[in-house]
Amino acid sequence: MNSPSQANYLLIDGALRPDALVSLYQRGEALEIEPLYLGTRWDELKDLGPILVSAQHASNLISEWQQSPIWQADTCLLFSRAPLRQVAEHWRRFIAPPDVLGGNGLLRFADPRVMHHWLSSYPSEQLSQVMGPVERMWINTPPHSWNPFDSPCLTSFSHSDLSEPRTIPLATLSEEQLTALEQAYHWQFKEQLYEWLNQRDPLTFTRLSSEQIERWLEYVLSSGNAWGLVSERALVIWAETCVDWGKDFATRPQGPYQDWLDLNPEHASLAPELRIEALDDYRQHRLGAKDTAHD
């Protein structure tokens, strides 16, 4: 059971593919379809949650997944001898699992990148507990957009022993899982940040190699965190400022940031998130004044 062509289930992330349910029903195939939010307190969001599909041999869905990067970006393949209802009930246990810190937020496990990081965090004996009736899973993680020549990474996870007893709390996330999920989020946020900065100015990264882009993004995010920024909005503003004024704008003794502090010394005592917002207003004003002068 080493080839994804032998899979008989698909797990689709409805948030990444919001038209999934409609398109599946329009195929006219004898598919069994089970939105995993169905019958839960998130029932009204079932279109945007994980969707489990039983695809038997008459369906072309599995072969389409193998040939389509679009399918691979929002769908995992599974093989299980168990019926759809049993597989669905197993995965529902992970919709909002408790964690060791007392949280129980929604777990986007149908997102292939999240699933990859999450499953990779378990030792083999616990992985079998997590996979339950699923004997093997295939996940194709695409490379970052700035590595277009890298091949997608096909990873498979397999069940070591379907008969072993469940000796651990199945759905509780330990610190290892929380770390893995944070890594998955970091991967995705870097991708979103890169895409946003390219939309803002297509020339932003034209002179950098793939390795240099990776280092730049990592440095910008880590320096923003070190400055005290946490929210996505604040980190995006920080990255934009790094593009416009240089990565060292906050530490240079002379430059626009220091000019702003000289003009507004009271801003130095603002909390980091408020300070970057205020700085953004100043930066936007300067950019607007520069554009007007060029006109």
Side-chain angles (χ1 to χ4, degrees):
M1 193 59 58
N2 294 320
S3 170
S5 61
Q6 296 170 303
N8 60 350
Y9 284 96
L10 297 93
L11 184 62
I12 304 170
D13 188 327
L16 293 176
R17 185 183 284 255
D19 64 341
L21 280 178
V22 173
S23 62
L24 287 169
Y25 287 123
Q26 289 177 342
R27 292 178 68 89
E29 298 182 12
L31 299 171
E32 290 186 88
I33 304 168
E34 181 82 1
L36 296 188
Y37 284 177
L38 190 67
T40 73
R41 56 186 168 132
W42 300 279
D43 192 288
E44 293 183 358
L45 301 175
K46 57 181 176 291
D47 290 7
L48 302 177
I51 301 167
L52 185 66
V53 182
S54 175
Q56 302 305 320
H57 297 298
S59 173
N60 294 319
L61 276 175
I62 304 301
S63 59
E64 288 178 22
W65 184 93
Q66 291 181 274
Q67 300 168 15
S68 171
I70 296 176
W71 271 107
Q72 295 163 10
D74 55 34
T75 306
C76 306
L77 291 188
L78 293 69
F79 173 79
S80 176
R81 294 181 174 87
L84 176 73
R85 182 175 297 276
Q86 182 180 346
V87 178
E89 285 306 310
H90 174 78
W91 287 113
R92 282 193 174 104
R93 300 181 63 137
F94 296 103
I95 290 177
D99 63 54
V100 294
L101 300 181
N104 63 338
L106 285 172
L107 175 59
R108 289 274 307 280
F109 56 80
D111 183 331
R113 288 172 289 270
V114 174
M115 181 73 86
H116 181 274
H117 282 84
W118 177 47
L119 293 186
S120 297
S121 71
Y122 289 100
S124 58
E125 65 274 10
Q126 291 184 9
L127 181 61
S128 295
Q129 301 283 335
V130 173
M131 292 182 67
V134 176
E135 297 178 41
R136 186 173 287 272
M137 184 177 299
W138 294 268
I139 302 169
N140 209 357
T141 303
H144 276 301
S145 300
W146 56 89
N147 292 317
F149 301 109
D150 285 2
S151 300
C153 177
L154 178 63
T155 306
S156 66
F157 297 90
S158 59
H159 216 308
S160 63
D161 185 0
L162 285 170
S163 64
E164 67 180 11
R166 291 177 177 173
T167 57
I168 60 172
L170 178 61
T172 300
L173 305 181
S174 70
E175 291 184 4
E176 288 77 12
Q177 281 78 65
L178 294 178
T179 298
L181 294 175
E182 180 62 30
Q183 291 170 346
Y185 163 76
H186 184 70
W187 193 101
Q188 292 172 322
F189 184 56
K190 277 198 303 183
E191 184 74 16
Q192 294 164 357
L193 182 60
Y194 172 78
E195 292 176 358
W196 164 248
L197 292 175
N198 262 330
Q199 290 176 10
R200 179 176 176 264
D201 182 359
L203 301 179
T204 298
F205 297 107
T206 52
R207 295 184 179 182
L208 300 181
S209 66
S210 296
E211 293 78 9
Q212 289 172 325
I213 293 172
E214 173 73 27
R215 289 198 298 269
W216 190 92
L217 290 168
E218 283 291 343
Y219 176 84
V220 165
L221 290 177
S222 62
S223 61
N225 290 147
W227 208 64
L229 304 179
V230 177
S231 70
E232 290 187 2
R233 172 175 170 77
L235 288 168
V236 168
I237 294 173
W238 177 269
E240 290 178 348
T241 310
C242 287
V243 171
D244 294 341
W245 292 350
K247 292 188 302 182
D248 63 342
F249 77 89
T251 57
R252 281 204 314 270
Q254 294 181 331
Y257 177 65
Q258 189 59 50
D259 292 344
W260 175 70
L261 285 180
D262 291 342
L263 290 170
N264 307 277
E266 70 280 6
H267 288 344
S269 60
L270 288 175
E273 299 263 334
L274 296 176
R275 198 184 328 153
I276 199 68
E277 290 275 1
L279 178 63
D280 187 46
D281 292 339
Y282 174 72
R283 181 174 59 86
Q284 297 292 350
H285 178 74
R286 280 176 58 106
L287 289 174
K290 184 182 297 185
D291 292 340
T292 301
H294 286 166
D295 293 341

